[in-house]
Amino acid sequence: MHLTDEEQDILARGDALADAFREQIQVGEFFGAERMVPVSNAHFMGDPEVFGDAGAAYLARLTAAGLRTAIPTSRNATCVDLEHLESFQQSKELAQGEIGVRKQLTALGVMAVNTCIGYQTLYQPRLGEHVAWGDTGTVAYANSVLGARTNYESGTASLLAGMTGRTPAYGFHLDENRKANAIVRVAATMGDLAHWGALGAVAGTRYRGYDNVVAFVLPDGVIPSSDALKHLAAAIASYGSMAMFHIVGQTPEASTLDMARGERGLLGEGEFSQADLEEFMGSYSPDDLAPDVVVFTAPQLSMFEIQDLALKLEGRKIREGTKMIITTNRSVYVEAERTGLLQTITGSGASILQDTCWYLMDPAQQRKSFGWNTLATNSAKLANIVKAHGYTPTVLTTAECILASTVALVASGAVSTQKGN
Amino acid sequence: MKFNLTRAVGKTIEGEALVSPVPFSARYDLDRVNGVISRIGHPLQGESIKGKIFLAPGVQGGVAAGWALLAMEARGVGFAGLVFGDTNPVMVQGAVTAGIPIASGLALEAFEQIKTGDYISLDPSTMELTVLESFRVE
C-alpha cells in the first residue's frame, strides 16, 4: 500500500496512534487497497452489550494512551435507555457499563449522540464525500441516497478512522464498485414505509452479497421520502448484507439506468411485483388476536414519523395485554416533547425510548421477562433480527400496527369494546 | 492437499479444522461466553470453536459482529483462524482487531474435501490452505 509522508510519520511514532493505523492498514491490505483515503467524519457503533469487557478494555487502552478523534465522530444507538431502565427490566450493570462507555467515548472526543439516523438529524455528507460509518443501515443510506462513500466500518474500525482521519480505499470508496450489477423494476403499489422495507428485504434476499449493488426502477411519479429510503436501506443491508443501491432518476449516481450500471456485468434482473409485496407482508383483520408487542424502531424514528404516529394514536388507547414501543434519538425526543407530540404518544399508553434502538436492548431477555411471543412492526429489518431472539414477527403497515394494538376512546374517556375501531 | 486463497492477512497458523456448510454469523451463531456454536438447528450446534480454524462458505450479520471476535479472544475461547468462501469488511475488521488470521476465496468444492477434524495450516503470506492430516472415522 502506498502511504504518504504524513502517513509514514504516523507509523514511525511507534505509539498507540501508530498501532491504530497499523490495524487499518492490515484491513486495507486484505482488500488490496492501494492507499488510504481521508474521511471527513466517522460514525462508531459499540455498546457494553455487544462488546463486553474486552471492548471496554479496548476503549480504556485508547483513553489511557491519550488518543483523541481527529475528525467529527458520532456514536450509534446504544443498548440502553438510562431513563427507562426499570420498565424494561434492564440490568443496573448494563447501565453502569453504558455510563462508563459514554465517559470513555467523551474522553476520546466521540459525540455520544446515540443515533442510527444521524443522516436525518446530525449531518448529511455530500456527493463524493468519503466517510467511515459503522452501522449497516446508515452506510447503505450514505452510499445510496447521499452519494457519500463508505464501507461497513465495524467494531473498532470506525473509531480508528476517527483517530487517524483516514480509512483504507477499497470497496465503496472506489468508482468501479459503486455501479449496479442487478436491476429490480418495482411494479407493486408502495403505500407505506413497511413496503419500502419489504422491497429492501426481497431485493436483499435475491441479490445477497456485500459487493452487489441493485438499481431500482420505480413507476413514474413514485418518489420515496427520506424515511422510506431509510427503511429500504436498513432492510437491504439486513437481508442482503448490501451497502449500496441506486434509484434510477432519483439518487445522485443514477440519473439514468446506464449511469447506474456503467460497464459492470449483470448478475440478475427482475421485478418486485404486487404478489412479491403481499407475500412478504403480513395482514391484520379486526378478528385477529392482538400481538403481544408492537415496535416502531430499526431505524430510530424521525420527527415526521413521530408526528404520524401521534396523529394515528390520537383518541386511541393501547390494548390491554399489548405493549407498544417506539424508539428515537435524543434530539427528536426533545423536539417531540416540546411540540406536544410526545404527550399524545405516551397518553395513549405507548412507551417512547431515546438513545436506543429496541433490538439492541436484549429482546430475548425481554421476551422471557414479559412473556412476549408475537410481535408486529412496520420495520422489515426488525422482523429479520427478532426471529433470532425467539419472536414470531409480522410486518404490517404503520396503520395496521396501530389498529392491531389500540382501541378507540369513546367521548367519555371509556374504551370502546369493539375490536379495531 | 493444497487450496488457493484470494485474500488473507495475519500470521501463519496450524490447527484443527471446523467446517461449516452454512454462512457464519458471529452474533447469532455463537455462545460468545463459552465459544460454542449455539444457534438452534445449526449443523455444528454444540461444537466448541476454541482454538479451531473455522471454515464457512460466507458470512452474514451486521457490524456488531466486529466486536464478537475480540470478546471471545479476550475470554480465551476464540477461533485460531477464519477461512471463508466470501467475506465482508465486518469479519475482516473484527479478526484484525482480535489478532486472528483471516482469509477468503476458498473454492466451494473445498468444503466437500476438507472435513471437521482435519489438521490444516493457513499461510496468509502464500495465500494457501494446506491439509496436513486428514481425519477419517474408520
Side-chain angles (χ1 to χ4, degrees), chain A residues 116-141:
Chain A
C116 56
I117 55 165
Y119 52 81
Q120 290 187 314
T121 59
L122 196 67
Y123 180 73
Q124 289 196 333
R126 301 178 62 205
L127 176 62
E129 187 171 341
H130 294 270
V131 297
W133 283 12
D135 165 70
T136 59
T138 65
V139 168
Y141 193 98

Side-chain angles (χ1 to χ4, degrees), chain A residues 22-23 26-27 29-32 44-47 49-55 58-59 61 134-136 151-157 160 170 208 210-211 241 359-360 385 388-389, chain B residues 6-11 23 27-28 32 39 59-68 70-75 86-94 96-98 102-104 127:
Chain A
R22 201 167 291 113
E23 222 178 290
Q26 276 195 283
V27 173
E29 285 178 344
F30 181 95
F31 287 105
F44 169 74
M45 183 179 186
D47 64 48
E49 193 277 325
V50 72
F51 63 43
D53 294 342
Y58 188 97
L59 289 189
R61 276 201 303 279
D135 165 70
T136 59
N151 289 305
Y152 289 175
E153 297 273 7
S154 77
T156 63
L160 301 178
Y170 67 92
R208 183 180 176 76
Y210 184 75
D211 300 330
S241 290
Y359 75 88
L360 300 171
I385 292 170
H389 296 293
Chain B
T6 55
R7 291 167 169 170
V9 68
K11 60 183 185 294
R27 185 162 172 82
Y28 294 122
R32 287 174 280 162
R39 183 159 62 84
V59 299
Q60 57 188 9
V63 296
W67 289 109
L70 177 69
M72 290 189 296
E73 188 69 15
R75 290 194 189 98
D86 194 19
T87 189
N88 69 21
V90 171
M91 212 57 72
V92 179
Q93 291 155 355
V96 167
T97 299
I102 180 169
S104 72
M127 301 265 186

Side-chain angles (χ1 to χ4, degrees), chain A residues 44-290:
Chain A
F44 169 74
M45 183 179 186
D47 64 48
E49 193 277 325
V50 72
F51 63 43
D53 294 342
Y58 188 97
L59 289 189
R61 276 201 303 279
L62 297 182
T63 314
L67 290 185
R68 279 190 68 84
T69 51
I71 52 174
T73 304
S74 51
R75 187 215 191 180
N76 203 58
T78 179
C79 60
V80 60
D81 177 343
L82 294 174
E83 282 147 58
H84 288 87
L85 281 180
E86 288 179 7
S87 53
F88 286 84
Q89 296 192 5
Q90 291 201 281
S91 76
K92 287 200 175 114
E93 290 74 23
L94 199 63
Q96 281 160 354
E98 169 64 13
I99 290 166
V101 167
R102 286 186 194 180
K103 280 184 186 159
Q104 283 181 329
L105 290 175
T106 302
L108 292 167
V110 177
M111 295 174 274
V113 288
N114 311 326
T115 184
C116 56
I117 55 165
Y119 52 81
Q120 290 187 314
T121 59
L122 196 67
Y123 180 73
Q124 289 196 333
R126 301 178 62 205
L127 176 62
E129 187 171 341
H130 294 270
V131 297
W133 283 12
D135 165 70
T136 59
T138 65
V139 168
Y141 193 98
N143 281 322
S144 313
V145 181
L146 305 175
R149 297 184 171 217
T150 178
N151 289 305
Y152 289 175
E153 297 273 7
S154 77
T156 63
S158 56
L159 190 58
L160 301 178
M163 306 282 175
T164 65
R166 293 164 168 79
T167 197
Y170 67 92
F172 292 95
H173 291 287
L174 306 178
D175 291 343
E176 59 269 28
N177 299 325
R178 301 175 65 83
K179 298 297 182 187
N181 64 345
I183 301 169
V184 174
R185 298 179 192 278
V186 177
T189 302
M190 307 295 280
D192 189 80
L193 296 181
H195 295 160
W196 293 94
L199 174 62
V202 170
T205 304
R206 213 180 271 174
Y207 301 114
R208 183 180 176 76
Y210 184 75
D211 300 330
N212 294 333
V213 178
V214 174
F216 292 105
V217 181
L218 303 185
D220 283 346
V222 175
I223 302 175
S225 66
S226 166
D227 289 321
L229 294 167
K230 175 171 78 172
H231 277 270
L232 172 57
I236 205 167
S238 178
Y239 289 80
S241 290
M242 291 158 78
M244 186 165 182
F245 59 85
H246 299 282
I247 296 181
V248 174
Q250 297 193 30
T251 54
E253 294 169 65
S255 298
T256 63
L257 184 56
D258 283 347
M259 181 183 173
R261 288 203 47 212
E263 302 295 313
R264 196 167 179 191
L266 195 62
L267 177 69
E269 181 170 5
E271 190 180 78
F272 180 66
S273 65
Q274 191 65 27
D276 291 328
L277 175 63
E278 286 169 12
E279 186 184 337
F280 182 84
M281 295 291 297
S283 63
Y284 175 76
S285 79
D287 293 329
D288 291 343
L289 284 175

